[in-house]
């Protein structure tokens, strides 16, 4: 398997612009997670989906952030409008639930810089 | 909620043994994970403990005490490539959620 795929790998944009991050989970995995990582706050869970349905979005910072999962093989995280404080590495991860806590497999991340 | 504590940084010498501790407080527990993250890369899975005791996997071992809310990751025969951040994460009963600690940055010196 190719693992979790994310695009773009790097994104530089100006404040106020819309940013869309994309993720393809590992085939067959039924959980998908979006995280944000910064030096100050570490790795934070933003939102996660189970079978394409958002389960918990309490980590989404504010209304400027939105996430969708239209099908089992694709998810997007959108920031509109973007702000400099959104600069971070955004990771997507997926897992397969089999009863106990299951390993999450991370994509390579998108490094976002908002100027 | 979850509260996870681990040291921010540690330094050790190549060939030595290092123990990275993690303490947690949780309202629901579904296992304790350790991840390794090299600079500029994604976290990768190292180990999983759900029962008390020691799990050994090559040079790496992980220990869990659920009654004490305590885990450690033991790295033996340290190599330069082990320089990385090590993230402790607690699994939540609510689905497959993980809550991550801030990570311990390990520097291995010659």
């Amino acid at each position: 398997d190719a693992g979790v795929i994310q695009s773009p790998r790097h994104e530089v944009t100006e404040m106020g612009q819309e940013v869309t991050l994309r993720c393809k989970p590992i085939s067959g995995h039924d959980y998908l997670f979006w995280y944000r990582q910064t030096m100050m706050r570490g790795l934070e869970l933003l939102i996660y989906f189970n079978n394409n349905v958002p389960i918990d979005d309490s980590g989404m910072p504010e209304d400027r952030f939105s996430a969708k999962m239209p099908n089992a093989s694709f998810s997007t995280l959108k920031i509109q409008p973007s702000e400099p404080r959104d600069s971070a590495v955004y990771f997507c991860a997926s897992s397969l639930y089999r009863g106990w806590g299951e390993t999450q497999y991370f994509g390579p991340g998108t490094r976002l810089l908002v100027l | 909620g979850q509260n996870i504590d681990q040291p921010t940084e540690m330094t050790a010498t190549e060939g030595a043994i290092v123990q990275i501790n993690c303490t947690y407080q949780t309202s629901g527990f579904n296992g304790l994970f350790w991840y390794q993250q090299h600079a500029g890369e994604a976290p990768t899975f190292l180990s999983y403990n759900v029962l008390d005791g020691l799990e050994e996997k090559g040079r790496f071992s992980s220990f869990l005490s659920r009654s004490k809310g305590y885990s450690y990751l033991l790295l033996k025969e340290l190599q330069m490539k082990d320089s990385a951040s090590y993230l402790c994460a607690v699994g939540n009963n609510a689905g497959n959620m993980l809550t991550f600690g801030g990570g311990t940055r390990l520097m291995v010196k010659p």
Side-chain angles (χ1 to χ4, degrees), chain A residues 9 30-31 33 35 37 42-43 45 48 56 91 95-109 111, chain B residues 29-31 33 35 37 39-45 48 50-51 87 91 93-102:
Chain A
R9 295 290 304 275
D30 51 2
Y31 279 83
F33 305 83
Y35 290 91
Q37 188 173 40
L43 195 60
L45 177 66
Y48 78 96
D56 188 338
F91 288 105
S95 68
L96 178 64
Y97 184 69
R98 287 175 292 191
W100 287 103
E102 285 299 328
T103 303
Q104 292 182 16
Y105 296 88
F106 284 76
R111 282 148 185 82
Chain B
F29 181 79
N30 200 15
F33 295 77
Y35 281 77
Q37 186 177 24
E41 298 182 7
T44 56
F45 169 76
Y48 170 64
V50 67
L51 300 176
L87 306 173
N93 281 335
N96 272 5
M97 273 185 62
L98 293 180
T99 302
F100 284 84

Side-chain angles (χ1 to χ4, degrees), chain B residues 25-102:
Chain B
Q25 294 174 315
T26 178
S27 56
F29 181 79
N30 200 15
L32 190 294
F33 295 77
W34 285 96
Y35 281 77
Q36 180 189 58
Q37 186 177 24
H38 285 102
E41 298 182 7
T44 56
F45 169 76
L46 282 179
S47 69
Y48 170 64
N49 296 68
V50 67
L51 300 176
D52 291 352
L54 188 69
E55 294 279 344
E56 296 187 75
K57 191 185 295 185
R59 294 189 299 113
F60 293 5
S61 302
S62 57
F63 172 83
L64 175 66
S65 169
R66 289 172 297 171
S67 62
K68 295 181 179 178
Y70 169 68
S71 173
Y72 67 73
L73 180 69
L74 193 71
L75 292 77
K76 304 175 186 176
E77 301 170 15
L78 280 173
Q79 302 175 9
M80 298 300 290
K81 67 178 182 179
D82 297 329
S83 293
S85 288
Y86 291 86
L87 306 173
C88 171
V90 175
N92 190 296
N93 281 335
N96 272 5
M97 273 185 62
L98 293 180
T99 302
F100 284 84

Side-chain angles (χ1 to χ4, degrees), chain A:
Chain A
D1 199 314
V4 177
I5 299 172
Q6 290 187 247
S7 65
R9 295 290 304 275
H10 301 272
E11 177 83 20
V12 180
T13 191
E14 292 187 346
M15 183 174 62
Q17 296 298 306
E18 177 179 295
V19 175
T20 300
L21 311 181
R22 298 173 177 79
C23 175
K24 176 180 169 55
I26 292 173
S27 177
H29 281 191
D30 51 2
Y31 279 83
L32 184 140
F33 305 83
W34 282 102
Y35 290 91
R36 177 173 68 177
Q37 188 173 40
T38 61
M39 290 292 293
M40 291 296 296
R41 300 176 67 88
L43 195 60
E44 303 174 279
L45 177 66
L46 299 176
I47 185 172
Y48 78 96
F49 295 83
N50 177 220
N51 291 323
N52 314 337
V53 176
I55 303 300
D56 188 338
D57 65 354
S58 59
M60 296 284 262
E62 47 199 272
D63 292 345
R64 296 185 298 106
F65 285 67
S66 63
K68 295 182 179 179
M69 192 165 186
N71 57 63
S73 60
F74 183 67
S75 177
T76 59
L77 178 68
K78 187 175 293 186
I79 308 172
Q80 167 62 21
S82 58
E83 297 182 2
R85 60 189 168 130
D86 302 330
S87 298
V89 181
Y90 291 81
F91 288 105
C92 175
S94 71
S95 68
L96 178 64
Y97 184 69
R98 287 175 292 191
W100 287 103
E102 285 299 328
T103 303
Q104 292 182 16
Y105 296 88
F106 284 76
T110 296
R111 282 148 185 82
L112 174 64
L113 177 62
V114 183
L115 302 174

